[in-house]
Amino acid sequence: MASVVKINVLTVPAEQREVLEQRFAARAGSVESSDGFEWFELLRPLEGTDQYLVYTRWRSEADFEAWMAGSMRGAHKPAEGEGGEKPKPAATGSTLWSFEVVQSTGPKASDAS
């Protein structure tokens, strides 16, 4: 069975970039212990766009859905700010892309002779 990749495309205004990155850093480790989780990357745009990509890879669609239904809700629950208010979202938009891994490779092992 092939892994599945989920890419959450987040539209983030320039003034909110640091906020978004700090929020992801604060919840580091919240997905790694999930059953079927394989990889995570937060990708910051370098030029021409205000969209961040949140890349996760899962053993199966069922594993991703189980995470969405369970621990994801706690990881994405906004922490209360000062005065008990919930902070506004850093992103102004979000789209989820789904892919199945059909081919994958890594670096070749070097011949250290």
Side-chain angles (χ1 to χ4, degrees), residues 86-108:
K86 293 186 178 177
K88 72 176 195 168
T92 59
S94 174
T95 302
L96 184 64
W97 296 343
S98 299
F99 299 88
E100 182 177 58
V101 177
V102 293
Q103 188 173 13
S104 181
T105 189
K108 286 186 171 187

Side-chain angles (χ1 to χ4, degrees), residues 18-41:
E18 189 175 336
V19 171
L20 178 87
E21 292 178 22
Q22 288 175 350
R23 288 181 183 169
F24 270 92
R27 65 171 74 117
S30 64
V31 69
E32 286 90 328
S33 60
S34 299
D35 192 39
F37 170 80
E38 295 180 350
W39 199 260
F40 163 86
E41 290 178 319

